[in-house]
């Protein structure tokens, strides 16, 4: 097992030492309590608290399931909910069909996990600089470099949790200290732009302190790196530019498109990353944290994992959630996250990525049609379900009934290339945009831009201009990153969620249309702040909710 994975989970308990709140009326210390000042006495304790700050990123199951692809895939035009039937996972069905309210338990679980991460990162940021180094000479210099790196990881993680909250819920309270009392729960929301800027500042601090990927030992792979921070500076600046454009501030938007391109260029020129020759190599267990991986959430095999929620496992629920309910492939799963016909039709002729992303079971492989065909959709997501090569290749046998060792890839190099292409396109550097786009399409064996192809059953010609290049990059993001949890967030930041979802739903089955609600522009681009959190903090709800 990767040593970092093991240490991350073993550090979980240590993170609680100063995170339990107390009220002012408590005047005496609890017997046996360790003070923070007594804990941070060595580099190993700093490492342990940073490791614990990674842990909420792995959470996807508390009182209910809430993996990020619920939002990125299922709420978008890429996937339908799936499951045993329409009523299986009612909270998710409401999210999928724009009928959810602020009491949705999935939103609550996701929201709270990110704030747990922020609290733990704040503890690390507060205390690591005070960690004593009780040695001299070369060893002291080495330990100081590690201490700086751990601090960089903490800044990266805080920025990452804030970024995830911002694109889901909008502007957040900006808290850069450890909350120690319920008297500090009342907070005021900042704007979306301020929240993104807060995350960007953290990523810049992290980029200055972190190491390049090749400086980490094999046992440490999975930690945040300089390249991961640069990729997030690319991504967060791109989101900020899109937000400003959607708000009508094109002049400011152009500044951040150019800033995004600058950080994307740094990742590319670092030569720390490259595309796997074969697309499917990204999703093989043996290739985790490999050449194309910029940052991924770490999971590991654990036969003794608990069936409980937060913190009771080292594995992911995603694999069992996404596998077919049929036993024809081996161990049956739960059948969630069904690729749509609309996504299937987006692929060009000869694009092998389609069949490496989407599995279409035959009639013989479907045992219980009522449970395995959802609103007319029989298709399955291949990427995280750990199917072997070929439609009849079987599946990876899990050591635990529900927990999988498959890491979740948050950023890979192809994503960086396409974000860089987008930033260059929007800032007017069309040659650089076309070069980055070509690298992604070359691996898929497809023609470079400009080109003509059949997409959604229609012959589409992309001419050599900025507008068509923008459309080509957006098309490429959809097929390259399909079923990896990106699509919904792309649609909302581009400001095209309303028209895209309405067009998509018009092409869906009558069964799906009956469930679908009305997408309201100016409302459904963000999810509602959970009502329980509003009761605790008093922050303002999102518009129209």
């Amino acid at each position: 097992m990767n040593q970092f994975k093991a240490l991350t989970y073993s550090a979980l308990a240590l993170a609680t030492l100063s995170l339990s709140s107390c009220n002012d009326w408590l005047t005496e210390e609890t017997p046996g309590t360790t003070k923070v000042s007594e804990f941070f006495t060595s580099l190993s304790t700093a490492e342990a608290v940073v490791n614990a700050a990674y842990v909420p990123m792995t959470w996807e199951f508390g009182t209910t399931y809430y993996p990020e692809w619920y939002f990125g895939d299922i709420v978008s035009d890429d996937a339908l909910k799936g499951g045993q039937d329409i009523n299986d996972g009612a909270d998710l069905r409401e999210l999928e069909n724009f009928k959810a309210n602020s009491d949705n338990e999935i939103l609550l679980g996701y929201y709270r996990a990110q704030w747990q991460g922020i609290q733990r990162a704040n503890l690390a940021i507060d205390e690591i600089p005070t960690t004593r180094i009780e040695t001299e000479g070369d060893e002291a210099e080495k330990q100081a470099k590690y201490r700086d790196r751990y601090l960089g990881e903490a800044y990266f993680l805080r920025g990452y949790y804030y970024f995830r909250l911002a694109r889901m819920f909008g502007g957040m309270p900006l808290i850069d200290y450890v909350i120690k009392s319920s008297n500090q729960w009342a907070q005021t929301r900042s704007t979306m732009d301020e929240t993104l800027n807060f995350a960007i500042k953290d990523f810049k601090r992290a980029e200055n302190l972190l190491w390049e990927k090749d400086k980490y030992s094999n046992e440490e792979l999975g930690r945040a790196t300089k390249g991961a921070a640069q990729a997030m500076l690319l991504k967060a600046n791109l989101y900020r530019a899109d937000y400003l454009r959607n708000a009508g501030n094109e002049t400011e938007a152009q500044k951040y498109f150019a800033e995004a391109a600058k950080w994307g260029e740094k990742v590319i020129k670092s030569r720390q990353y490259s595309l796997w020759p074969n697309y499917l190599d990204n999703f093989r267990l043996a290739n985790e944290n490999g050449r194309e991986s910029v940052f991924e959430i770490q999971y590991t095999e654990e036969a003794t994992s608990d069936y409980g929620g937060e913190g009771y496992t080292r594995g992911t629920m995603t694999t069992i959630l996404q596998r077919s309910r049929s036993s024809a492939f081996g161990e049956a799963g739960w059948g969630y996250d069904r690729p749509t016909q609309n996504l299937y039709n987006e692929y060009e002729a000869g694009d092998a990525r389609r069949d490496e992303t989407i599995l279409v079971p035959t009639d013989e492989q479907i045992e219980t049609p009522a449970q395995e065909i959802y609103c007319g959709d029989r298709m399955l997501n291949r990427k995280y379900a750990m199917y072997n090569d070929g439609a009849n290749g079987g599946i990876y046998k899990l050591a635990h009934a529900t927990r999988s060792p498959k890491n979740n890839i948050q950023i890979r190099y192809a994503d960086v290339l396409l974000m860089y292409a987008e930033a260059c396109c929007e800032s007017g550097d069309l040659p650089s945009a076309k070069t980055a786009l070509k690298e992604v399409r070359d691996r898929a064996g497809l023609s470079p831009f400009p080109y003509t192809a059949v997409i959604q059953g229609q012959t589409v010609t992309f001419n050599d201009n900025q507008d068509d290049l923008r459309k080509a990059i957006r098309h490429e993001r959809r097929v390259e990153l399909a079923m990896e949890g990106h699509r919904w967030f792309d649609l909302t930041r581009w400001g095209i969620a309303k028209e895209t979802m309405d067009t998509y739903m018009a092409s869906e089955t009558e069964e799906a249309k009956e469930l679908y609600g009305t997408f309201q522009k100016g409302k459904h681009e963000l999810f509602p702040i959970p009502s329980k959190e509003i009761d605790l903090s008093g922050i303002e709800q999102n518009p129209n909710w």
Side-chain angles (χ1 to χ4, degrees), residues 21-81:
S21 63
C22 58
N23 291 304
D24 293 341
W25 52 266
L26 290 175
T27 57
E28 296 184 5
E29 295 181 6
T30 303
T33 299
T34 302
K35 296 179 181 179
V36 172
S37 60
E38 296 171 346
F39 181 72
F40 282 86
T41 59
S42 69
L43 194 63
S44 62
T45 56
E47 179 186 16
V49 171
V50 171
N51 289 348
Y54 282 91
V55 173
M57 197 173 288
T58 71
W59 291 347
E60 53 187 15
F61 176 45
T63 57
T64 187
Y65 306 97
Y66 57 88
E68 196 171 38
W69 50 265
Y70 269 17
F71 316 108
D73 291 349
I74 292 173
V75 178
S76 81
D77 53 348
D78 271 6
L80 291 172
K81 174 181 73 70

Side-chain angles (χ1 to χ4, degrees), residues 417-437:
L417 288 171
L418 292 174
M419 287 191 291
Y420 175 68
E422 186 178 338
C424 289
C425 175
E426 298 302 339
S427 55
D429 183 3
L430 303 193
S432 294
K434 287 188 281 189
T435 298
L437 176 61

Side-chain angles (χ1 to χ4, degrees), residues 139-348:
E139 181 61 25
E141 183 178 351
K142 177 182 176 182
Q143 288 192 24
K145 289 180 179 178
Y146 269 94
R147 182 177 62 185
D148 288 348
R149 197 196 76 187
Y150 294 142
L151 181 60
E153 290 179 50
Y155 276 122
F156 176 89
L157 291 168
R158 186 173 71 180
Y160 206 84
Y161 288 121
Y162 262 111
F163 176 81
R164 295 175 100 187
L165 283 168
R167 68 178 189 171
M168 282 278 294
F169 302 103
M172 289 283 108
L174 302 181
I175 301 171
D176 59 359
Y177 53 88
V178 176
I179 292 179
K180 299 178 180 179
S181 168
S182 59
N183 294 331
Q184 297 173 293
W185 287 353
Q187 296 290 335
T188 302
R189 293 184 69 175
S190 296
T191 66
M192 170 74 93
D193 188 57
E194 289 167 341
T195 305
L196 289 173
N197 186 47
F198 185 87
I200 287 168
K201 287 180 179 179
D202 272 355
F203 293 136
K204 284 183 177 178
R205 295 184 184 105
E207 195 270 343
N208 190 50
L209 294 167
L210 292 173
W211 307 348
E212 295 283 13
K213 184 178 180 180
D214 61 7
K215 297 297 189 294
Y216 289 71
S217 66
N218 288 337
E219 291 75 21
E220 292 182 309
L221 289 178
R223 292 184 177 277
T225 64
K226 184 179 290 289
Q230 291 168 345
M232 284 309 300
L233 283 163
L234 161 62
K235 191 169 189 173
N237 277 291
L238 199 57
Y239 271 71
R240 193 176 187 188
D242 282 322
Y243 170 77
L244 290 165
R245 170 176 282 176
N246 293 336
N249 196 338
E250 183 63 26
T251 300
E252 281 294 297
Q254 283 299 319
K255 286 171 48 179
Y256 294 106
F257 282 127
E259 181 74 3
K262 180 188 80 173
W263 290 108
E265 185 177 27
K266 285 182 179 290
V267 179
I268 293 167
K269 287 188 173 181
S270 74
R271 300 187 181 279
Q272 295 287 310
Y273 312 96
S274 60
L275 300 180
W276 286 106
N278 300 308
Y279 180 72
L280 198 57
D281 286 344
N282 280 292
F283 308 100
R284 300 184 194 281
L285 193 61
N287 293 338
E288 290 184 335
N289 302 310
R291 61 194 290 175
E292 193 166 333
S293 171
V294 180
F295 184 66
E296 47 190 86
I297 297 173
Q298 306 294 305
Y299 292 104
T300 193
E301 196 91 79
E302 179 52 82
T304 60
S305 287
D306 198 288
Y307 282 84
E310 317 285 28
Y312 287 91
T313 180
R314 297 178 179 181
T316 176
M317 304 291 303
T318 289
T319 297
I320 198 72
L321 279 165
Q322 293 184 350
R323 280 182 172 175
S324 170
R325 296 185 67 86
S326 171
S327 63
F329 302 98
E331 298 168 320
W334 300 348
Y336 282 89
D337 203 23
R338 301 298 189 100
T340 62
Q341 188 67 47
N342 187 279
L343 173 61
Y344 190 89
N345 293 344
E346 185 79 11
Y347 289 88
E348 301 162 46

Side-chain angles (χ1 to χ4, degrees), residues 81-90 92-93 325 334 336:
K81 174 181 73 70
Q84 182 174 351
D85 54 34
I86 288 171
N87 296 315
D88 190 8
L92 180 54
R93 184 190 69 231
R325 296 185 67 86
W334 300 348
Y336 282 89

